[in-house]
Amino acid sequence: MINSLLKNTEKISYVLNQTNLSIGVYEYNTKMKKVRYTDHVPDILSLDTNELREVFNDYKLFQKYIDKLRSNATDERVYCLEGKTNKYIKLEEIVDENGGVLGVILDVTQETRKRIQVESERDIDALTGLYNRRGLESRLSEMLAYPQIMKHSAVVMVDADGLKKINDEYGHDNGDIYLRKIARVLSSAEGQSLVSRQGGDEFVLVLYGFDSDEELMSSISDLKSRQDNSTAQLDEDITVKVSYSLGYCKFDGTLGYQDMLKIADDRMYENKRSRKEERR
């Protein structure tokens, strides 16, 4: 069926156009140099004339294009077109016994943007712009289904030191400034990370995607080096030291997220106690 479906692309394009949906179909195999496609495909992929000619005149180049598109996954089989102002594509492919490929693509930009907005309002902490507890756990559960994404990774528990004192001395508005500063410090961690505010003065980072344990530990060491080396400008006359305690637990495939979080939390409190003793 795949070998014959697109022999008359005009008819297929006509049928798809009657649906009033932005749907495109393409086909290629190793015996045909060019990729066959229906009318909507170039528009859905936002390809100009030169890009269209280059990509579809050689199925090998088209395969590379699709592989690159898949690297920008936002959800299962939903991908963001790089550099195309948040345009989102859904892609499905069927491969027959002879290596022929039939693909269907849909422009799902409107639906995806609505979903992202709903998830943002539900999953983002309003004060810091980080994930909240629910947002982090939802995103992490998606990622854990793909071990190749996680690679060398760790959960890091962080507690903001001295927040109560700042609230008491300078007011809660300045306490909020202090928390936002810590959020910025944590968000600048080396490598890929999910950063969340769990509530109050507690934060959680998931560091992931490192190619080696050494690279992962370098990122954690960088966070440690900045525990007492940043400042927050509360107003024109008040500058305070930004301080936080942290503990971590590496992903090893044997523990669930909640167990790792408990270990990281225990280690964070050990770090807090030891740092207090050092200051005495």
Side-chain angles (χ1 to χ4, degrees):
M1 183 181 78
I2 292 178
N3 291 329
S4 62
L5 183 59
L6 293 185
K7 285 184 178 178
N8 193 329
T9 56
E10 291 183 3
K11 288 184 179 179
I12 297 297
S13 294
Y14 175 80
V15 172
L16 294 176
N17 289 341
Q18 304 316 301
T19 67
N20 293 321
L21 297 174
S22 189
I23 301 174
V25 179
Y26 61 82
E27 176 200 26
Y28 66 89
N29 59 52
T30 57
K31 295 180 180 179
M32 47 193 280
K33 176 74 172 176
K34 296 183 178 181
V35 179
R36 295 193 185 108
Y37 58 92
T38 56
D39 290 350
H40 281 313
V41 171
D43 291 335
I44 293 173
L45 297 178
S46 297
L47 296 173
D48 61 31
T49 303
N50 291 332
E51 291 172 324
L52 182 66
R53 185 181 302 111
E54 178 183 1
V55 170
F56 285 95
N57 278 353
D58 186 335
Y59 79 87
K60 292 182 180 179
L61 292 178
F62 183 74
Q63 284 179 324
K64 291 180 180 180
Y65 176 85
I66 293 298
D67 288 342
K68 185 177 181 181
L69 176 62
R70 286 196 176 108
S71 69
N72 292 324
T74 62
D75 202 345
E76 187 177 3
R77 295 187 296 278
V78 174
Y79 310 94
C80 180
L81 281 184
E82 188 174 3
K84 301 298 183 180
T85 318
N86 295 331
K87 186 171 185 179
Y88 298 93
I89 305 301
K90 187 166 187 177
L91 170 66
E92 301 276 359
E93 285 189 342
I94 302 171
V95 181
D96 69 16
E97 65 276 8
N98 298 315
V101 177
L102 176 68
V104 179
I105 55 174
L106 297 87
D107 186 339
V108 293
T109 300
Q110 186 174 359
E111 305 94 302
T112 303
R113 285 179 177 173
K114 288 180 180 178
R115 176 178 60 79
I116 290 173
Q117 181 178 354
V118 169
E119 290 177 352
S120 176
E121 293 171 352
R122 180 190 65 196
D123 296 344
I124 300 300
D125 174 57
L127 175 65
T128 61
L130 304 177
Y131 283 115
N132 57 26
R133 184 190 304 269
R134 186 193 185 287
L136 174 67
E137 293 182 1
S138 175
R139 184 74 182 96
L140 182 59
S141 66
E142 295 173 359
M143 292 171 55
L144 289 174
Y146 301 92
Q148 68 273 21
I149 294 177
M150 299 303 295
K151 297 183 181 179
H152 291 270
S153 49
V155 172
V156 183
M157 189 75 187
V158 175
D159 186 77
D161 296 332
L163 178 62
K164 183 179 185 304
K165 181 178 179 181
I166 289 175
N167 284 335
D168 291 345
E169 293 186 9
Y170 306 116
H172 286 270
D173 287 346
N174 283 316
D176 289 346
I177 294 173
Y178 184 73
L179 289 172
R180 285 195 289 267
K181 175 63 178 183
I182 290 180
R184 288 196 293 273
V185 171
L186 300 181
S187 296
S188 64
E190 294 178 356
Q192 299 182 87
S193 63
L194 301 176
V195 189
S196 75
R197 180 182 176 220
Q198 300 286 283
D201 55 4
E202 292 186 341
F203 298 81
V204 171
L205 293 84
V206 177
L207 302 171
Y208 69 95
F210 292 88
D211 291 326
S212 67
D213 185 67
E214 289 75 17
E215 291 179 358
L216 172 62
M217 290 307 301
S218 175
S219 181
I220 294 173
S221 296
D222 177 64
L223 287 171
K224 289 181 176 180
S225 71
R226 290 188 283 168
Q227 281 183 285
D228 298 295
N229 290 323
S230 300
T231 59
Q233 189 76 33
L234 302 185
D235 62 27
E236 292 182 358
D237 301 318
I238 303 173
T239 301
V240 297
K241 179 186 291 186
V242 171
S243 179
Y244 56 84
S245 302
L246 68 82
Y248 68 91
C249 180
K250 297 179 186 178
F251 281 87
D252 62 5
T254 63
L255 295 174
Y257 169 68
Q258 294 299 331
D259 291 329
M260 295 178 63
L261 197 63
K262 177 65 168 60
I263 292 172
D265 190 54
D266 290 343
R267 291 173 176 172
M268 181 270 292
Y269 278 107
E270 290 176 8
N271 180 246
K272 186 180 289 286
R273 285 193 295 270
S274 65
R275 291 169 66 248
K276 282 184 178 179
E277 291 174 359
E278 289 174 0
R279 295 188 187 112
R280 292 175 182 173

